[in-house]
Amino acid sequence: MTNRIDDHVPAAPPALTNRAPPRKPLTEAERAEREKQRTAAEARWLEIESKGGVDGWVRAKLIEAGHTPDAAAPANEDEKKTFKEKKGAERAERKKLKALANEARRFGTIGYLGNTVHWDELKDADDFDLKDRAQRAEQNGLPPWETANELAAAMELSLSELRWLTFHREVDTGSHYHSWKVPKRTGGERTITAPMPKLKALQRWALEQYFEKLPVHAAAHGFLPARSVLTNALAHVGADVVVKLDVKDFFPTVTWQRVKGLLRKAGVTEPVATLLALLCTEAPRQLVEFREQTLHVATGPRCLPQGAPTSPAITNALCLRMDRRLSALARALGCTYTRYADDLTFSFKKTPERKRLALGILVEKTKDVLKSEGFTLHAKKTQVLRRGAAQRVTGLTINPAGPQVASARVSRDVLRRLRAAIHNRQKGKPYREGESHAHLQGLAAWVYMSDPKKGSKLLEQVAALPRA
């Protein structure tokens, strides 16, 4: 929904209400010439970097042209006139080279990506660089790219394209994301912010090259190879008491600065860490209509989008220390800890002797750990599940299915609804509200994950249903 703010903005003076005439579109020849200039400027900047900066490049070019920038003035009066003429020509040439260097800097560097987002392209290191930065990056298996130019080349992008994808504006006329809302299981709505195809492809590239290589704790089960909601639930099968906690605003809490810090600690340089952090974050935005133009206005800091492919891996790596601390807390209290995204689960195989005290310590200590790690406990979502009641962890029931049968499985209610929906379709009845062939297929696959024998039969039944 868009808001109109025209009524709150004073009218412009009459002399300012006339809009400038629209720019004339570039011809193909003009566009080609501009692209040629940009490419030449970017290549020139790479040459400048190889000479150690603008001054070194200018000096090298002057010597190459036959000038003598280091020559001292002659003592002979007859030679001074010639020397001054040469120095005058040298100053003119230096001025031209400086102009070319400035043009190259504009096209060949990024350096500034919006308010408070900048760094020094020519500085080898900064105060936040690790002493063994390169070794740390190598230990983590990260690429050796150190500059914006190297990162852009690895991504097969021009520097201007990389700048366009990462530049931050508080108010923008467009967006690299599209958003929609989905209902939460517990009520309310969740906003999904997904990147456009080009940005999504680059985020997947960053995921493979960087974020999937960062260390993750064994207690994390979300969005990792060979781990799933099933492995997360199986860790708590047979528990007397299960405690479920939730992190409030998990993704929105992780700002681009935190992502950058994660990469810097892993051994990534300032420019590359900044660009990757901006590439994988976005500010929550509201559409505003202002003077016949739709604007995307930031309503908060850049953070992890709910629909970006990089967000889960970033949080898993960022929570490494938090998972270590909570695992240590669980061992001290005699229980098991796992985390699936923002869902924290603790389970006691035996009910603690002083149950109320132990559970109180667990919740309060977890709250303190989360706070010190930059997160907040969602107190209203805390659940304590005892063996006598239904115990569900990440959607799977973990109560014993029989006297000696311990498993994690889909609840009877879900199975009952799925079988009823399949039966109705077999009888030729239409889908009910919220049902579809894809929905039933997903539920059958959900059953198959925890019970392949039962799930394969349901998948066959769904596949045989009429689609229309």
Side-chain angles (χ1 to χ4, degrees):
M1 181 181 293
T2 58
N3 295 332
R4 294 196 60 84
I5 61 173
D6 303 61
D7 297 338
H8 304 283
V9 179
L16 300 180
T17 55
N18 294 328
R19 295 189 176 188
R23 292 182 179 179
K24 184 180 178 181
L26 294 175
T27 64
E28 287 297 326
E30 290 172 334
R31 190 176 290 109
E33 181 60 28
R34 179 169 292 188
E35 180 65 17
K36 181 180 178 181
Q37 291 175 355
R38 181 190 62 76
T39 303
E42 288 185 4
R44 192 183 308 126
W45 185 256
L46 291 176
E47 185 183 355
I48 290 172
E49 285 186 327
S50 70
K51 297 297 183 181
V54 174
D55 291 339
W57 177 79
V58 169
R59 184 176 181 280
K61 284 293 182 182
L62 289 173
I63 294 173
E64 186 180 313
H67 296 286
T68 53
D70 298 328
N76 190 316
E77 290 296 330
D78 294 335
E79 295 177 355
K80 281 187 177 180
K81 183 178 180 181
T82 304
F83 178 80
K84 287 180 180 179
E85 290 175 354
K86 288 182 177 180
K87 280 298 178 182
E90 182 184 314
R91 281 194 297 272
E93 183 66 18
R94 185 186 296 273
K95 186 176 181 180
K96 290 178 183 178
L97 290 169
K98 288 277 190 178
L100 288 172
N102 288 334
E103 180 189 47
R105 184 193 296 273
R106 185 160 53 90
F107 285 101
T109 66
I110 293 182
Y112 175 78
L113 289 168
N115 190 27
T116 74
V117 187
H118 52 82
W119 67 86
D120 187 351
E121 289 274 1
L122 297 177
K123 197 172 182 181
D124 292 333
D126 65 20
D127 296 338
F128 296 97
D129 264 326
L130 301 174
K131 291 182 179 178
D132 57 346
R133 184 200 61 75
Q135 291 84 346
R136 180 72 64 85
E138 186 177 356
Q139 288 171 4
N140 287 322
L142 301 182
W145 306 310
E146 298 184 359
T147 67
N149 282 290
E150 290 174 346
L151 182 65
M155 288 180 165
E156 298 182 353
L157 296 173
S158 68
L159 210 61
S160 57
E161 286 177 311
L162 185 55
R163 183 189 294 110
W164 173 66
L165 287 165
T166 54
F167 201 96
H168 174 72
R169 293 180 178 86
E170 293 295 318
V171 179
D172 208 341
T173 55
S175 176
H176 296 295
Y177 292 82
H178 57 101
S179 301
W180 67 94
K181 294 184 182 295
V182 296
K184 290 183 179 180
R185 185 180 58 185
T186 55
E189 291 182 322
R190 174 181 283 108
T191 300
I192 304 298
T193 304
M196 296 296 186
K198 185 177 184 66
L199 178 58
K200 188 173 185 178
L202 291 172
Q203 288 178 345
R204 289 192 183 280
W205 181 90
L207 179 65
E208 293 173 2
Q209 295 290 335
Y210 286 91
F211 297 112
E212 284 185 340
K213 297 178 179 180
L214 299 179
V216 175
H217 197 271
H221 287 260
F223 313 97
L224 291 165
R227 303 188 203 178
S228 63
V229 292
L230 178 61
T231 61
N232 185 66
L234 286 172
H236 305 283
V237 166
D240 275 351
V241 179
V242 175
V243 182
K244 295 170 63 177
L245 305 175
D246 187 88
V247 181
K248 187 176 182 181
D249 297 329
F250 189 50
F251 284 172
T253 301
V254 181
T255 61
W256 78 268
Q257 290 94 334
R258 294 183 71 176
V259 179
K260 176 183 173 181
L262 172 70
L263 291 167
R264 298 304 310 278
K265 189 176 179 181
V268 181
T269 62
E270 170 84 0
V272 174
T274 302
L275 288 163
L276 290 173
L278 292 171
L279 194 76
C280 298
T281 57
E282 169 63 334
R285 293 186 182 273
Q286 185 173 11
L287 296 183
V288 174
E289 292 293 333
F290 178 61
R291 294 180 180 173
E292 302 180 7
Q293 188 176 30
T294 300
L295 302 177
H296 299 251
V297 181
T299 58
R302 290 183 78 101
C303 57
L304 295 182
Q306 189 79 28
T310 44
S311 295
I314 290 172
T315 52
N316 278 339
L318 194 67
C319 289
L320 175 62
R321 188 175 65 178
M322 184 186 85
D323 289 336
R324 284 174 178 163
R325 296 175 67 184
L326 291 179
S327 293
L329 172 64
R331 285 195 300 272
L333 294 173
C335 62
T336 300
Y337 162 74
T338 63
R339 180 181 59 81
Y340 190 95
D342 57 348
D343 293 329
L344 315 180
T345 307
F346 298 84
S347 63
F348 294 85
K349 295 297 182 183
K350 288 186 178 182
T351 303
E353 292 183 7
R354 302 180 67 180
K355 182 175 65 177
R356 186 181 296 276
L357 176 61
L359 296 183
I361 291 173
L362 173 63
V363 174
E364 286 303 312
K365 291 293 185 182
T366 300
K367 182 179 178 180
D368 292 341
V369 170
L370 289 179
K371 184 178 180 181
S372 65
E373 295 292 334
F375 294 103
T376 304
L377 180 68
H378 202 313
K380 292 183 179 180
K381 290 190 175 182
T382 299
Q383 292 180 290
V384 179
L385 310 174
R386 294 169 179 81
R387 182 185 286 270
Q391 294 175 323
R392 290 178 186 168
V393 176
T394 45
L396 296 173
T397 301
I398 62 169
N399 299 79
Q404 295 180 339
V405 181
S407 65
R409 60 202 181 279
V410 174
S411 69
R412 292 177 182 176
D413 290 341
V414 173
L415 280 172
R416 193 180 300 115
R417 290 199 304 271
L418 175 57
R419 285 170 175 155
I422 292 173
H423 177 76
N424 289 338
R425 286 299 291 157
Q426 289 172 338
K427 294 296 183 181
K429 296 180 181 180
Y431 286 118
R432 295 180 179 180
E433 185 179 354
E435 290 181 349
S436 66
H437 185 87
H439 175 66
L440 299 187
Q441 202 169 31
L443 287 177
W446 173 248
V447 176
Y448 179 84
M449 178 188 64
S450 59
D451 191 336
K453 184 178 179 180
K454 189 180 295 181
S456 59
K457 184 178 179 180
L458 290 168
L459 282 169
E460 290 175 4
Q461 292 175 348
V462 173
L465 295 177
R467 298 294 184 103

